[in-house]
Amino acid sequence: MDDAQNSSVENQDLGQLPVWNLDDLYPGKDSAELKRDLADASEKARNFEADHAGRLANLSGDQLGSAIETYEEVQEMLGRIMSYAQLVYAADMADGENRRFYQSMQEQATDISSHLLFFELELNRLAESQLQSMLESSERLARYAPWLRDLRAYQPYQLSDDVERTLHEKHVTGRAAWTRLFDETFADLRFDLDGKALTSTEILDKLSSPDRALRERAARAFAAGLKANERSFALITNTLAKDKQIEDQWRGFARPVSSRNLANFVEDEVVDALVSAVTESFPRLSHRYYAMKAKWLGLDKLAFWDRNAPLPENDERIIPWEEAQDTVLNAYAAFSDDLAKVGERFFEQDWIDAPARHGKAPGAFAHPTVPAAHPYLLLNYQGHVRDVMTLAHELGHGVHQVLAGPQGPLMADTPLTLAETASVFGEMLTFRSLLASTQDPAKRKAMLASKVEDMLNTVVRQIAFHNFETRVHDRRREGELSQQDLADIWMETQREALGPAFDLDEDYRIYWSYIPHFIHTPFYVYAYAFGDCLVNSLYAVYQQADEGFADKYLDMLRAGGTKRHRELLAPFGLDASDPTFWQKGLSVIEGMIDELESLDGQSAAQ
């Protein structure tokens, strides 16, 4: 399918599934518009360097504000180019031309941006007193105060200009190349199940089948495919961990997670408190829930392919796309018409690519692109309830990105910890709407259990992933980790999280290797738990709030990256630095498990 074609795919069970139209970025890989923007960005970047390198300290406040505006303009041009390249690549990673195009755009963007690199480095060398004086003298510059605040946070970790340039220019042949190797290796994998060659998306979907024998065959086939590439995955993981260790040591980060915390503008101690609170809650949450699930399924022990098994009462019908769209938008509208109206644009204007197909990136994401355009959503929609929840989740990201867009390219992006707020809140709105419309007690129990599992996957599983990453990166400092070492750490952290209800066999030892966040964005995963616990607390406020809550919520989304978590949560009376904050969020999950235990007891008494 041509990357610019406006189309949809007819599926017998799912209806018309939308395929995104990338014309709003560029009409094609060879388009005159793309070539023009590459040339313009290159010329503007070189002129910007010639005009400003070594001269920032001599500028007035208005002149520096003007310089930042030009810098922002070039960054947006590069952002549009790379967003387009990434989306074309994600739509079909198996296509050799798409691979070459993506690599070519990365190389050209890196070359162009190398002429901009001096700007942030030189800004960080300005004396604080001089910068403050400039900010006070110029409204034009003061608009960028939040961006400058965040940029200056990196000041203690900044290296010499030559080293920074070397790291920047070699990124495309270093970390980016190893990441691309992982992505393309994984996209090319096919898993043999009952004589059919399935993609990762297709075979992972079988792990939620009500047929236990099918789940086991799928789980073992997935393990076999991963094991065939275990050496490559271990090499990629070791190389990227060592690469991170070297750069962290050069910059002076005390711990492997510290650079991610800085990027998220969240204090180390806040993340430590989250991780400790969730880890200590494992027995009260996941261990207790999975013991109940084993009983519901009539099993003494759960196998790893039973983790996402549906309950007997689950709604296993296939949900057509149009119904999924209505379900999510109606849930959004019940909270805020304004929120739903932004969401409607994604469906009306072909901003979503929904069908699962060979070569397409697995999973789901919302790509913000650039404020001058709009976000795009990638899904692999297969009609299950969890796919509806994924749509609600990614649409939340997309709506957030649209609302934050007016902040501009430099300030629209939100740290990962807060980027999950709108997505998880959208999921919660959709779940509560579905639950309220379900009267049958057995189906309500199944829905509640499904939601608990989603929350455990978002909180417990992601913190288990975080613990795995922490131990891997700590151990990597002592030397290269063997395939056995990686598997041992994986099993250790998974047993801690899942508890005694599970019997994890040898085939599960390879499952560490398919988690893309470990490769793409080290220590990303705790942001999911951060967002879920935050939203649990936020939703509790909403349930008790007056009519002004929705307006405050939308204002929070519109702020983009201009405010830190403390400022954003203050209007709701929440503070993530409060040691008791995480317990509030976890207590919501615990309360749902309590309710399930109560329903279980009532059923047994009848």
Side-chain angles (χ1 to χ4, degrees), residues 289-561:
Y289 173 78
Y290 288 123
M292 283 194 295
K293 182 166 186 175
K295 184 174 64 174
W296 294 336
L297 295 178
L299 300 170
D300 293 329
K301 292 275 190 178
L302 296 171
F304 68 87
W305 53 82
D306 296 319
R307 185 174 59 83
N308 288 328
L311 299 184
E313 303 89 347
N314 259 30
D315 182 0
E316 287 301 309
R317 69 187 180 91
I318 296 299
I319 301 169
W321 175 256
E322 187 174 347
E323 182 181 340
Q325 173 182 332
D326 290 344
T327 297
V328 174
L329 289 179
N330 288 340
Y332 276 40
F335 172 74
S336 164
D337 285 335
D338 290 340
L339 196 70
K341 286 176 182 176
V342 177
E344 287 171 0
R345 295 165 63 187
F346 285 80
F347 299 93
E348 294 170 351
Q349 301 181 35
D350 298 314
W351 297 355
I352 304 175
D353 192 291
R357 58 178 179 267
H358 283 229
K360 184 177 178 179
F365 63 69
H367 193 307
T369 73
V370 291
H374 55 76
Y376 284 92
L377 308 186
L378 179 140
L379 306 170
N380 280 276
Y381 188 80
Q382 299 184 75
H384 304 297
V385 172
R386 70 175 179 280
D387 294 320
V388 178
M389 291 298 175
T390 299
L391 172 59
H393 181 101
E394 300 303 338
L395 188 65
H397 278 306
V399 168
H400 191 176
Q401 291 157 0
V402 170
L403 291 173
Q407 297 294 347
L410 296 182
M411 296 183 289
D413 286 348
T414 305
L416 293 177
T417 44
L418 297 169
E420 293 300 327
T421 303
S423 55
V424 178
F425 197 82
E427 272 191 86
M428 182 65 83
L429 291 172
T430 304
F431 166 72
R432 292 293 183 183
S433 175
L434 287 171
L435 187 66
S437 65
T438 304
Q439 303 303 318
D440 181 83
K443 291 192 180 301
R444 285 179 63 84
K445 174 186 169 183
M447 286 186 64
L448 189 62
S450 179
K451 182 58 179 175
V452 167
E453 290 197 15
D454 286 344
M455 297 170 95
L456 293 179
N457 283 336
T458 304
V459 177
V460 169
R461 183 167 167 82
Q462 299 302 326
I463 292 301
F465 286 174
H466 173 84
N467 291 340
F468 170 81
E469 279 193 282
T470 299
R471 293 176 202 182
V472 165
H473 282 265
D474 285 346
R475 289 273 302 278
R476 184 63 182 90
R477 295 185 173 201
E478 302 167 9
E480 183 164 292
L481 296 166
S482 68
Q483 298 166 31
Q484 177 85 10
D485 292 332
L486 291 164
D488 286 347
I489 297 170
W490 173 256
M491 295 296 278
E492 180 182 280
T493 52
Q494 289 296 296
R495 287 191 175 109
E496 289 171 359
L498 295 173
F502 276 88
D503 183 11
L504 303 177
D505 72 13
E506 286 295 304
D507 272 349
Y508 195 54
R509 292 175 60 80
I510 187 61
Y511 272 60
W512 62 269
S513 64
Y514 86 96
I515 310 300
H517 288 95
F518 297 160
I519 305 301
H520 295 163
T521 316
F523 296 97
Y524 181 114
V525 290
Y526 77 73
Y528 288 111
F530 193 112
D532 199 278
C533 288
L534 188 156
V535 166
N536 287 341
S537 298
L538 195 63
Y539 198 86
V541 174
Y542 165 55
Q543 290 178 307
Q544 305 296 323
D546 56 26
E547 293 182 0
F549 182 92
D551 291 335
K552 288 193 290 186
Y553 175 78
L554 292 176
D555 285 343
M556 178 177 70
L557 301 188
R558 292 187 183 102

Side-chain angles (χ1 to χ4, degrees), residues 132-202:
Q132 285 304 314
S133 176
M134 296 166 83
L135 283 166
E136 291 168 4
S137 70
S138 170
E139 290 185 9
R140 191 174 195 175
L141 178 61
R143 176 181 179 274
Y144 292 100
W147 179 72
L148 289 166
R149 173 204 63 198
D150 291 347
L151 176 65
R152 303 280 282 188
Y154 285 88
Q155 192 177 39
Y157 308 100
Q158 184 169 300
L159 302 172
S160 70
D161 288 10
D162 287 345
V163 175
E164 292 286 0
R165 179 178 290 273
T166 299
L167 288 171
H168 177 77
E169 293 185 354
K170 285 184 67 64
H171 175 77
V172 70
T173 57
R175 172 169 288 278
W178 286 99
T179 300
R180 178 185 171 192
L181 175 62
F182 172 85
D183 287 343
E184 294 185 2
T185 300
F186 199 78
D188 286 343
L189 289 182
R190 295 296 178 266
F191 303 91
D192 183 9
L193 179 65
D194 300 337
K196 295 181 179 179
L198 303 184
T199 65
S200 60
T201 297
E202 291 168 331

Side-chain angles (χ1 to χ4, degrees), residues 213-229:
L214 175 59
R215 292 199 305 272
E216 180 178 359
R217 294 198 304 276
R220 297 202 184 283
F222 189 56
L226 295 176
K227 284 179 184 176
N229 293 271

